[in-house]
């Protein structure tokens, strides 16, 4: 079964609107990564969260990690067409092992931003 | 800033042929990962290397092999190609300790006909 579930699976928002994508794990999170992917292209690293309650921001994107809920959320403020793409969360084990590790990815959320 | 480099970007092979994909990690990154992404699927981990030694293994077929060289670049060798091997193959790199941030290359699109 899928370890990471993302919701929603797809999202269409009007430019300027805020949105949130959730990533829920069936296992304890020891490192949560967020990536953005354009169709057929590479994964662009957005942020990595390790500690419960940790929150990071980059430009208009904010990610939070709720360790107790085994969940992370990605929030985009005032969305722009450039935010369109597929957002993937990935789980690693760095916080547990102290070394970098492979990632297991979620199901992805496809975001479209309309004008 | 330097990124992960993969070559070739596109590759077309026939069934039963062999293919070699190359990956050049970000400078000072000592760990390399290979992932396979099928159409409409999320990336699946294949194999990883640290200091030329295999550090982890995922769902990599026996027909595939990989290695990491002394300059940290890595190669994924694929033999007896099947139609189902058609996919995007990503290489990623990170430092084994420290920030644990993992950066992906642009991928190699392999098409098996």
């Amino acid at each position: 079964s899928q370890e990471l579930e993302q919701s929603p699976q797809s999202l269409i928002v009007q430019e300027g609107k805020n949105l949130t994508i959730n990533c829920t794990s069936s296992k304890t999170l020891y490192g949560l990564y967020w990536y953005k992917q354009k169709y057929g292209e590479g994964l662009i690293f957005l942020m990595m969260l390790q500690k419960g309650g940790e929150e990071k921001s980059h430009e208009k994107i904010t990610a939070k990690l709720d360790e107790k809920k085994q969940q992370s959320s990605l929030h985009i403020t005032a969305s722009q067409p450039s935010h369109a793409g597929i957002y993937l969360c990935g789980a690693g084990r760095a916080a547990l092992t102290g070394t970098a590790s492979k990632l297991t990815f979620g199901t992805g959320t496809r975001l479209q931003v309309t004008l | 800033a330097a990124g992960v480099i993969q070559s070739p970007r596109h590759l077309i092979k026939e069934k039963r042929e062999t293919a070699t994909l190359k990956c050049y990690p970000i400078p000072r990154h000592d760990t390399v990962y290979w992932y396979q992404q099928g159409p409409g699927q999320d990336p699946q981990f294949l194999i990883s290397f640290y200091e030329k030694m295999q550090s982890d293994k995922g769902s990599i077929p026996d027909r595939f092999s990989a290695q990491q060289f002394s300059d940290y670049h890595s190669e994924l060798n694929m033999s007896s190609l099947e139609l189902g091997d058609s996919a995007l193959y990503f290489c990623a790199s990170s430092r084994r300790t420290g920030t644990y941030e993992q950066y992906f290359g642009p991928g190699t699109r392999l098409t098996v006909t």
Side-chain angles (χ1 to χ4, degrees):
Chain A
S1 60
Q2 185 69 38
E3 179 178 323
L4 290 176
E5 293 287 343
Q6 288 184 234
S7 62
Q9 289 188 332
S10 65
L11 194 54
I12 302 174
V13 299
Q14 193 173 25
E15 183 178 4
K17 298 294 186 182
N18 303 333
L19 65 106
T20 299
I21 297 169
N22 292 305
C23 174
T24 303
S25 175
S26 59
K27 300 178 182 179
T28 303
L29 287 169
Y30 294 107
L32 193 288
Y33 298 68
W34 282 101
Y35 292 89
K36 176 187 171 186
Q37 184 179 28
K38 293 279 193 181
Y39 177 75
E41 298 180 8
L43 279 67
I44 300 169
F45 175 82
L46 296 176
M47 276 167 280
M48 179 201 169
L49 305 165
Q50 279 188 266
K51 302 173 186 175
E54 188 173 12
E55 180 176 322
K56 289 186 177 179
S57 294
H58 177 68
E59 297 180 343
K60 294 186 178 181
I61 301 176
T62 300
K64 300 178 185 180
L65 179 62
D66 187 330
E67 201 171 55
K68 290 182 180 178
K69 291 185 179 179
Q70 298 178 177
Q71 184 179 66
S72 178
S73 61
L74 185 82
H75 184 76
I76 298 178
T77 304
S79 58
Q80 301 170 349
S82 60
H83 287 130
I86 300 171
Y87 288 81
L88 289 160
C89 63
R93 298 172 62 80
L96 175 66
T97 63
T99 59
S101 73
K102 66 181 181 184
L103 300 181
T104 301
F105 286 92
T107 47
T109 295
R110 185 179 296 273
L111 172 63
Q112 292 179 251
V113 180
T114 62
L115 299 175
Chain B
V4 177
I5 297 172
Q6 290 188 247
S7 67
R9 295 292 310 278
H10 301 274
L11 194 57
I12 299 175
K13 291 286 185 178
E14 293 187 358
K15 283 189 339 181
R16 293 179 289 277
E17 285 192 319
T18 61
T20 297
L21 279 54
K22 296 185 178 182
C23 168
Y24 297 86
I26 291 172
R28 292 182 295 281
H29 279 192
D30 50 21
T31 304
V32 168
Y33 314 80
W34 286 97
Y35 294 84
Q36 177 192 58
Q37 186 178 35
Q41 298 179 358
D42 52 275
Q44 295 292 316
F45 171 74
L46 292 177
I47 195 167
S48 63
F49 290 88
Y50 165 67
E51 292 288 345
K52 298 183 290 182
M53 298 290 290
Q54 180 183 303
S55 55
D56 203 351
K57 189 174 182 179
S59 50
I60 183 170
D62 292 339
R63 299 177 288 108
F64 295 5
S65 64
Q67 56 182 329
Q68 185 181 32
F69 297 86
S70 56
D71 64 351
Y72 296 109
H73 95 270
S74 178
E75 294 183 2
L76 177 65
N77 299 293
M78 311 160 73
S79 63
S80 303
L81 287 169
E82 302 174 356
L83 295 177
D85 295 329
S86 295
L88 265 172
Y89 290 83
F90 291 110
C91 172
S93 74
S94 74
R95 292 183 183 176
R96 184 170 176 82
T97 58
T99 65
Y100 311 122
E101 293 176 355
Q102 192 169 135
Y103 294 88
F104 281 69
T108 294
R109 180 173 293 282
L110 172 66
T111 302
V112 181
T113 62

